[in-house]
Amino acid sequence: MTHAPHIPVVGSRPQRPDGADKVTGRARYGADLSLPGMVWGAVLRSPHAHARILSIDTSAALALPGVLAVLTSADMAANFSADVAAGESHIDLQDMSRNVLAREKVLYHGHAVAAVAATSQRLAKEALKAIQVEYAPLPVVLDLDAAMHPDAPVLHPGMFTRGLPETPSVASNIASRLVMQKGNVDEGFAEAEVVMERTYTCASAHQGYIEPHACLASAGADGQIDLWCCTQGHFAVRSYTAALLGLDPASIRVTASEIGGGFGGKTTVYLEPLAVALSRKCGRPVKMQMSREEVFRATGPGSATRITVKVGARRDGTLIAMDALMEYEAGAFKGSPAGAGAMTIFTSYSAPHQRAVALDVVVNKPKVAAYRAPGAPQAAHATECLLNELAAELGIDPLDLRCRNAVTNGTPTVYGATLRNIGLQECLDAARVHPHWSAPLGPNQGRGLAVGFWFNHGAQSSASVHLVEGGKLLVQEGNPDIGGSRASMALMAADTLGIPYADVHPVVADTASVGYSDMTGGSRVTYATGYAVIEACRELVERLKSRAATVWGVEPSQVEWRDGVAIDGRDPSRSMSIAELAALSGRMDGPLSGQGSVNLKSAAPSFAVNIADVEVDPETGASRVLRFTAIQDAGRAIHPDFVEGQLQGGAVQGIGWALNEEYRFDANGVMENPGFLDYRMPVASDLPMIDTVIVEVPWPDHPFGVRGVGETPICAPIAAVASALNAAAGTTIREVPLSPPRVLAAIMAKD
Amino acid sequence: MAIHVQTRVNGQATEFLCEADASALDVLRDTLGLTGSKEGCNSGDCGACSVLLDGTLVCACLVLGAELEGRELLTIEGVAPPGGLHPVQQKLLEHNAMQCGICIPGIVVAAKALLDRDPDPDETTVRFALAGNLCRCTGYDKIIRAVLDAAAAMREGAGVRA
């Protein structure tokens, strides 16, 4: 029997398996599920940015008809001894518990203080008003200087700066000081012919996912709990919820709904432990969903930052020394991505002497959460803008300056890894030949170039594959599909088995239906979870070969697997298709499946080069991005449409951060713009098409060469846009966002 | 006190009870079980709950449930017959113009509203027609291309696929 050869599908652009559900409204997101007997939860939030909680009286609320349960920190454990490992970072449960529900103090305006469950949303909100909380307001700390002042009010009396040479005796708002270095920067600057030092700031920007946090929890009388929620990691939700509530993780089954965006912001828990605790108290399913205002006030934005960068170079543009002081606001609890910023700030450049000093500083604002390449866009803003200023100072083309100093394979990084198989030079080459780089500019227009770097992540993933009647394949994986990853899994499975893409049915399985998988984050899903899917498919192939060998009475090693068909190596005319083998299951050793579990220790360094053209109206300071080109090394683009989508979406998030987006607080620490009207994200009419170039330098540790593409796209745009705008306006604004009032003020100051 | 409302939703006679301050979005999602319209902001800024009220594009979160009395409402669930696709939906699929997908129901309804009145929009027209629909994932590029492609297909006779 002859079989048609399998045409490889990796690298093609089929429709995603879940596409029809998403265009018809059938896909179910966090707030879309309801259960019989369900009641509604709501959260009481602090009206103060910093205050001691003296007392909470819930009796009046509990007495209201329709109110079934009230929750305060008194219902939660007060002390936690262990941390929970969580992918790229570790979690301090003491802090996480107090962020989910304030205990001794409220630390930001909007901080959760209590929660209720009632028979309707309306009653739940009414009940919040009946909860009496007595506060003793404290002075608020709203920026880096105020927080680091020697006389600053201390947010956490037990927090002493980590990372200092000597253990400090006084509590501080500086949670940690981290130094990453190689070479000797003092010697490097002594060698330099030109030294430039500048300070750059970025405002806090929100991830801006369109779907507010939502969940539905149902606790049974036997302690079994079902939790449905929108999250980037349902296994993490299980771990955190179990740890915070003192439950057995195996008793909690978490189902990840479709997720309406996350960008890092859905890698922690806010409502989920509250919903579970309320459901345990009242014995009914409890649904909770945040308003947009709650999302802004109480969920993680990215850090506001101040970064002072100093570079030393020769007159020919060769960089010798690079030094940075990186101050990152963490919000109310420690844990800004200052360290990640320090890992990225100079990694694109070969200067032998590098140092980054990173401070993690707490302030009375919402605790920051991961935001796409956490810490790196702000770092790249500083370095890349300064290099553009240096290029102008030295009269060198900005692209030539990058090419002269780009890192190469074999370069050790400040964080320990040695770079290998990188595609930075290939991205720079692609920029040089792109028509955008040499296109003419008109009046009031400027061009900016920037390089972006992110280290990516590997870690733990699981997958199972099951052969279904007819030879179709069911793929179970444990990572919420936030941008088309089901399609990537199906493409890799199809080519590994040699079967059509349409025969593969990927499912994002709940925590009781697939093995542990780290979060959808770190640009790791196509890399690590894809690897687990490939491993599972390979195991299935071995079983298929073994079964064919039994049928033919030969050794499994004598069976070849090619194009979805088992072939007898001794007699290639003899073959069995995957469907034929599947049909034998009941008469042979039963159902055919495969398992894949990986813990990838390596991660592929990822580089991008962005070119932006901006036009400024000198009368108003308003600006517009006219053209944008995003070039990035994907390793291998499994599904190019979704890779392009990552590049385009990251570019536009960066454009928003560069030009408009910012948290604005009043003197009491109240966010003044907690809605999409005043927190201005880019809309379709603000933008041009976003041109993309996918560079493919395969990463050798992955069977298909995947590098991971999700985060790097947001690293370079802020710097590219800011540099373009400054070139257009003839200004040197080093603060982000470059909003029209700020740009106009700079233009007027110049005139 | 609850208000009794008789209306038409996606061509079907529909009646429901709602509180005076309940929005049409609350009614759709929580009373009628039509969860395709999404709540992203509840203030008319994100467009995720875009619906057609007597053929006019509105945010369901800005309309009261009681205002639906005697009106004709079209939601994402009604833009194509069961199992079918509107050309805008078909082209969004072909261009893989969605990532998380939460904005897409609103985009489909807003794009349909545009193409119902302007069969041959240029890129700028499409961008302004969708300026009330926030998408945080895609940068809009593929969405704009898909809508332009859908317009072209409809001009060549493509209709709602049953």
Side-chain angles (χ1 to χ4, degrees):
Chain A
M1 188 173 166
T2 58
H3 299 274
H6 171 73
I7 298 162
V9 289
V10 162
S12 68
R13 302 171 183 250
Q15 292 176 27
R16 64 193 287 172
D18 52 327
D21 279 356
K22 290 197 162 134
V23 299
T24 58
R26 180 172 176 271
R28 289 194 301 180
Y29 292 82
D32 293 343
L33 192 73
S34 296
L35 284 174
M38 183 183 89
V39 300
W40 293 83
V43 176
L44 181 68
R45 297 187 179 278
S46 169
H48 303 288
H50 196 192
R52 198 170 306 286
I53 299 174
L54 300 177
S55 67
I56 305 177
D57 182 354
T58 61
S59 55
L62 258 178
L64 291 173
V67 174
L68 301 181
V70 182
L71 195 69
T72 69
S73 63
D75 298 294
M76 314 273 280
N79 292 298
F80 299 88
S81 52
D83 287 355
V84 172
E88 287 169 294
S89 56
H90 73 92
I91 298 298
D92 183 319
L93 288 171
Q94 197 88 351
D95 285 354
M96 180 178 266
S97 171
R98 280 157 178 74
N99 193 41
V100 166
L101 216 46
R103 179 169 286 271
E104 300 86 359
K105 284 166 119 186
V106 289
L107 291 160
Y108 54 95
H109 180 262
H111 196 163
V113 174
V116 302
T119 51
S120 74
Q121 262 181 307
R122 179 189 311 267
L123 283 173
K125 284 173 186 163
E126 286 298 315
L128 296 180
K129 296 176 192 161
I131 298 174
Q132 301 294 318
V133 186
E134 208 181 340
Y135 296 100
L138 296 165
V140 296
V141 173
L142 292 176
D143 61 39
L144 291 162
D145 285 330
M148 294 191 289
H149 192 278
D151 299 327
V154 170
L155 271 64
H156 303 279
M159 194 167 83
F160 298 86
T161 309
R162 287 176 298 149
L164 296 179
E166 289 174 21
T167 308
S169 58
V170 182
S172 166
N173 291 323
I174 305 172
S176 64
R177 180 178 184 275
L178 175 77
V179 181
M180 288 199 172
Q181 58 188 329
K182 63 178 186 177
N184 182 319
V185 285
D186 294 331
E187 286 176 18
F189 284 116
E191 277 179 49
E193 293 165 352
V194 187
V195 175
M196 285 180 86
E197 179 176 336
R198 302 282 186 270
T199 298
Y200 298 85
T201 64
C202 284
S204 193
H206 198 273
Q207 293 82 349
Y209 35 83
I210 308 301
E211 179 197 36
H213 299 258
C215 66
L216 171 58
S218 179
D222 58 356
Q224 299 295 309
I225 291 158
D226 285 310
L227 177 59
W228 159 282
C229 60
C230 53
T231 175
Q232 290 174 244
H234 42 314
F235 287 90
V237 169
R238 182 180 73 175
S239 304
Y240 300 161
T241 302
L244 292 175
L245 300 179
L247 302 172
D248 173 6
S251 71
I252 307 175
R253 178 179 192 164
V254 186
T255 304
S257 69
E258 294 305 320
I259 175 170
F263 313 105
K266 289 177 182 165
T267 56
T268 185
V269 289
Y270 298 105
L271 300 176
E272 295 85 352
L274 304 180
V276 169
L278 286 169
S279 180
R280 277 162 55 85
K281 273 196 157 192
C282 71
R284 305 268 290 269
V286 176
K287 181 169 176 172
M288 302 183 81
Q289 58 188 74
M290 285 195 197
S291 66
R292 177 55 52 184
E293 184 177 330
E294 287 180 291
V295 172
F296 274 116
R297 292 201 192 285
T299 71
S303 286
T305 56
R306 179 173 61 198
I307 300 173
T308 300
V309 187
K310 183 177 170 186
V311 296
R314 294 210 178 86
R315 286 244 152 246
D316 65 2
T318 305
L319 298 172
I320 301 167
M322 308 179 90
D323 196 9
L325 175 63
M326 311 176 70
E327 298 159 299
Y328 279 52
E329 287 185 11
F333 298 93
K334 66 180 181 285
S336 78
M343 288 168 68
T344 64
I345 187 163
F346 300 135
T347 301
S348 304
Y349 300 106
S350 58
H353 307 287
Q354 299 186 359
R355 177 173 65 186
V357 178
L359 301 182
D360 182 25
V361 182
V362 295
V363 292
N364 290 120
K365 295 179 183 175
K367 182 197 183 315
V368 301
Y371 180 12
R372 203 170 194 168
Q378 302 99 315
H381 169 237
T383 301
E384 297 298 315
C385 286
L386 181 55
L387 289 183
N388 287 337
E389 292 192 44
L390 177 70
E393 170 81 18
L394 296 175
I396 296 175
D397 174 82
L399 183 52
D400 290 342
L401 182 69
R402 266 63 175 208
C403 290
R404 176 177 287 273
N405 294 287
V407 276
T408 51
N409 292 327
T411 307
T413 63
V414 289
Y415 55 91
T418 296
L419 295 172
R420 59 187 167 96
N421 303 93
I422 62 171
L424 174 55
Q425 190 58 53
E426 287 80 355
C427 289
L428 291 165
D429 292 345
R432 190 178 296 281
V433 300
H434 196 287
H436 185 173
W437 185 239
S438 50
L441 288 165
N444 299 315
Q445 296 177 2
R447 179 163 298 148
L449 175 94
V451 170
F453 164 73
W454 184 246
F455 38 82
N456 287 346
H457 200 52
Q460 303 177 82
S461 281
S462 304
S464 312
V465 297
H466 302 281
L467 203 53
V468 182
E469 302 96 295
K472 305 294 169 66
L473 189 75
L474 188 67
V475 176
Q476 293 173 306
E477 47 137 337
N479 281 98
D481 179 353
I482 207 161
S485 57
R486 286 185 185 88
S488 300
M489 298 305 137
L491 287 165
M492 289 184 279
D495 275 2
T496 305
L497 279 169
I499 62 176
Y501 170 78
D503 286 358
V504 184
H505 298 263
V507 171
V508 178
D510 64 62
T511 57
S513 306
V514 68
Y516 178 86
S517 297
D518 280 321
M519 286 183 283
T520 295
S523 305
R524 60 174 295 281
V525 174
T526 307
Y527 180 51
T529 306
Y531 206 123
V533 168
I534 294 163
E535 290 277 287
C537 289
R538 286 172 171 172
E539 187 175 290
L540 175 62
V541 166
E542 290 310 307
R543 292 191 176 155
L544 286 161
K545 285 164 66 175
S546 167
R547 194 156 288 184
T550 303
V551 172
W552 293 326
V554 303
E555 290 300 312
S557 60
Q558 293 173 311
V559 177
E560 278 181 54
W561 187 261
R562 203 163 62 216
D563 295 337
V565 174
I567 296 165
D568 185 344
R570 298 168 315 166
D571 177 7
S573 68
R574 198 153 70 159
S575 67
M576 289 181 80
S577 72
I578 197 165
E580 289 163 336
L581 285 161
L584 294 176
S585 294
R587 279 182 279 146
M588 298 183 69
D589 294 338
L592 283 157
S593 61
Q595 298 285 328
S597 294
V598 301
N599 188 7
L600 300 186
K601 306 291 189 189
S602 75
S606 168
F607 291 91
V609 176
N610 287 181
I611 310 167
D613 290 0
V614 173
E615 183 172 84
V616 177
D617 178 351
E619 301 292 319
T620 64
S623 61
R624 189 173 175 81
V625 176
L626 300 176
R627 187 170 183 180
F628 196 101
T629 302
I631 301 161
Q632 187 175 316
D633 176 16
R636 179 83 189 278
I638 298 298
H639 191 307
D641 277 346
F642 291 116
V643 174
E644 291 165 3
Q646 290 297 320
L647 270 55
Q648 292 164 335
V652 168
Q653 280 189 315
I655 289 168
W657 202 342
L659 295 180
N660 278 303
E661 295 180 36
E662 63 177 319
Y663 266 58
R664 298 184 70 98
F665 292 90
D666 71 11
N668 297 316
V670 179
M671 187 190 182
E672 296 180 305
N673 56 336
F676 284 141
L677 191 62
D678 298 315
Y679 182 93
R680 181 65 164 72
M681 305 200 312
V683 302
S685 54
D686 295 335
L687 297 161
M689 294 296 187
I690 307 294
D691 198 4
T692 58
V693 178
I694 301 172
V695 171
E696 293 187 302
V697 177
W699 176 243
D701 296 4
H702 186 279
F704 289 99
V706 166
R707 196 173 282 279
V709 295
E711 290 164 294
T712 306
I714 203 175
C715 294
I718 300 177
V721 169
S723 295
L725 189 150
N726 278 319
T731 52
T732 49
I733 306 165
R734 301 191 182 95
E735 297 88 34
V736 158
L738 292 101
S739 53
R742 183 173 270 158
V743 173
L744 185 61
I747 291 171
M748 290 173 74
K750 178 188 65 162
D751 296 342
Chain B
M1 202 179 90
I3 298 168
H4 178 220
V5 176
Q6 289 183 295
T7 185
R8 289 180 73 80
V9 177
N10 298 330
Q12 299 282 326
T14 303
E15 59 185 317
F16 56 84
L17 293 174
C18 70
E19 297 293 330
D21 61 355
S23 71
L25 182 59
D26 295 335
V27 169
L28 285 173
R29 291 183 54 83
D30 298 332
T31 307
L32 302 180
L34 294 171
T35 55
S37 303
K38 305 302 178 188
E39 180 183 321
C41 68
N42 216 24
S43 57
D45 297 314
C46 79
C49 65
S50 296
V51 294
L52 298 182
L53 184 59
D54 293 335
T56 300
L57 180 66
V58 295
C59 289
C61 70
L62 297 183
V63 176
L64 290 172
E67 287 183 89
L68 300 182
E69 175 67 37
R71 313 286 288 274
E72 179 84 39
L73 191 69
L74 186 82
T75 72
I76 180 65
E77 288 89 351
V79 300
L85 292 174
H86 186 278
V88 169
Q89 293 172 310
Q90 181 64 37
K91 291 301 179 185
L92 286 166
L93 281 176
E94 290 174 12
H95 286 256
N96 283 302
M98 73 213 80
Q99 288 174 35
C100 84
I102 191 119
C103 70
I104 294 297
I107 297 268
V108 168
V109 172
K112 172 186 156 48
L114 167 67
L115 301 185
D116 283 351
R117 67 171 189 273
D118 181 354
D120 192 10
D122 62 12
E123 182 192 329
T124 301
T125 303
V126 175
R127 287 188 176 277
F128 277 90
L130 297 182
N133 294 83
L134 289 176
C135 169
R136 190 60 157 174
C137 296
T138 66
Y140 305 100
D141 184 299
K142 292 183 191 299
I143 290 172
I144 304 297
R145 290 179 199 275
V147 173
L148 288 166
D149 199 8
M154 289 171 77
R155 288 195 303 277
E156 285 161 21
V160 175
R161 199 182 81 200

